[in-house]
Each structure stands twice: as structure tokens, then as C-alpha cells.
Amino acid sequence: VNEVITHLFEQRLKYKKEKNPVQLIFKEIMNSSYGKSALKPIDSDVEYVPFDSFNAFVDRNFNYIKEATLLANGKYYKVKTMKTIDCHYNNVHIGVSILSWSKRIMNEVMCLAEDNNLLIKYQDTDSMHIPSKDVVVLGKKFKEKYKRELTGKQLGQFHIDFDLDGAVEEIYAIKSIFLGKKSYA
């Protein structure tokens, strides 16, 4: 998993540097890999059984059939079957590890800011809004305490993520309106 995510991350960096919109696809793949790994067990399957084979299918699978519906064309049944408990495979252990590390990374930064009276105006799963003047201070404090760089473009680092076509200077907010998680202007 680490190798795959590192590869995806490096590809995204490459395409982002080239201003290639495919970088967004790599971002979504990385984000969805977390979501996919944290799924509840998949405890059923759907099969489409030809009308002529339906009775034989029922004879072989009667203990596992949840429901069967004859489709409008009359040629197939849509059959929902239960999976046995030893087939409920997922990767929730990976999802838990990802969530745990993301919380650790965010808490290191937020607690350090709080300990140094640096105001975080807003934060969510992977971002925060903090006055620009405090970013440098927080970066120095982070380096002192954790012996690694806070700001940058690598995994586990933070950077200003506002994009605006045609901007000639760094983008920052002078006033913000927060409507909810990831919904602000």
C-alpha cells in the first residue's frame, strides 16, 4: 500500500507541476483508496440467472438466497445471495491505519499551534486556515519539536493549496465565510 500511494503521490506531483489536470485524477484515486479500504464487509452478491436455469440454481443455493426477482424481459432472474461470513473481505485495517496517521499529523500541528497561542481559524480532516504570519512561526516550532519540515509538497507536509489562474502573488484570505466542512469562501 505504501509503495502504491507513494507512486500515485509522485505522479500527481509531476502532473501538478506541469499544470496537467490529470493530477486531479491521481488525487481522487488516493482519496478513494482510503474510502475503499474502510468499507463495511460486503455480505451479499447479485447474480443474473437465466430463466431456464433458475430452478437448478435454487436447488444448489437455497440456503444463501435472500431474494429473487424476475426481470421485465422474462428471460432472467436477478438473485441476491448472502456471502458466508468467512468471505466478508475488506481492508479496514488499512483504512484504520490511514485515519490514525492523518489524525496524528493534524494533532501534532494543531496542538503545537495551541501550545504557542497561534490561532487556527478553521480545520478539517487534512487542512487548516491560520494567519500567514503564524505559518512561519509554526513551521519553526514544528522543526524544533519534531525534527522535520512542516511546510512543503511531500507526503505529511502542509502547503498553501489555493489556486487561482493568473495569480502573480501568493493567494491568501483577508476575510472568510465558513458555511461548513470544506464549504467556505
Side-chain angles (χ1 to χ4, degrees):
V1 171
N2 292 347
E3 291 173 16
V4 171
I5 290 297
T6 299
H7 172 73
L8 293 171
F9 183 82
E10 288 168 355
Q11 291 300 302
R12 180 176 184 226
L13 274 185
K14 179 180 104 178
Y15 289 118
K16 197 171 182 181
K17 190 175 183 179
E18 296 171 1
K19 299 192 184 302
N20 186 329
V22 78
Q23 63 92 7
L24 293 171
I25 302 298
F26 284 95
K27 179 181 181 179
E28 291 303 320
I29 291 171
M30 288 187 291
N31 286 343
S32 65
S33 68
Y34 162 70
K36 188 71 172 170
S37 69
L39 288 176
K40 292 180 182 175
I42 298 169
D43 61 359
S44 63
D45 277 327
V46 173
E47 296 184 48
Y48 294 91
V49 180
F51 182 85
D52 297 340
S53 306
F54 181 69
N55 288 336
F57 182 86
V58 170
D59 288 345
R60 287 189 312 273
N61 300 285
F62 64 90
N63 280 339
Y64 303 103
I65 296 174
K66 285 184 171 183
E67 62 186 59
T69 307
L70 182 62
L71 297 181
N73 65 11
K75 295 179 182 178
Y76 288 90
Y77 279 91
K78 177 182 176 183
V79 183
K80 188 173 184 179
T81 57
M82 295 181 291
K83 285 186 171 184
T84 57
I85 196 158
D86 62 338
C87 295
H88 290 190
Y89 300 116
N90 65 22
N91 292 313
V92 76
H93 58 291
I94 294 171
V96 167
S97 180
I98 293 167
L99 182 60
S100 176
W101 272 103
S102 72
K103 296 241 181 257
R104 178 181 173 166
I105 291 166
M106 289 300 290
N107 284 332
E108 284 177 342
V109 179
M110 290 187 313
C111 292
L112 188 61
E114 186 177 293
D115 291 347
N116 289 279
N117 297 315
L118 303 173
L119 181 62
I120 296 174
K121 305 272 188 174
Y122 167 86
Q123 74 68 213
D124 63 27
T125 309
D126 61 356
S127 65
M128 60 186 64
H129 291 228
I130 182 171
S132 295
K133 64 181 177 48
D134 293 343
V135 172
V136 175
V137 175
L138 186 57
K140 286 179 184 174
K141 298 283 186 186
F142 191 88
K143 178 78 171 182
E144 288 170 15
K145 183 167 185 167
Y146 297 108
K147 310 293 186 248
R148 56 185 205 272
E149 294 295 328
L150 174 64
T151 56
K153 302 268 182 175
Q154 299 304 310
L155 281 171
Q157 292 181 318
F158 290 78
H159 61 278
I160 295 171
D161 201 20
F162 294 124
D163 289 328
L164 183 63
D165 287 339
V168 292
E169 295 179 8
E170 187 175 75
I171 302 166
Y172 60 92
I174 55 172
K175 183 178 181 181
S176 299
I177 301 169
F178 299 96
L179 303 174
K181 186 175 180 178
K182 296 196 184 282
S183 181
Y184 48 81

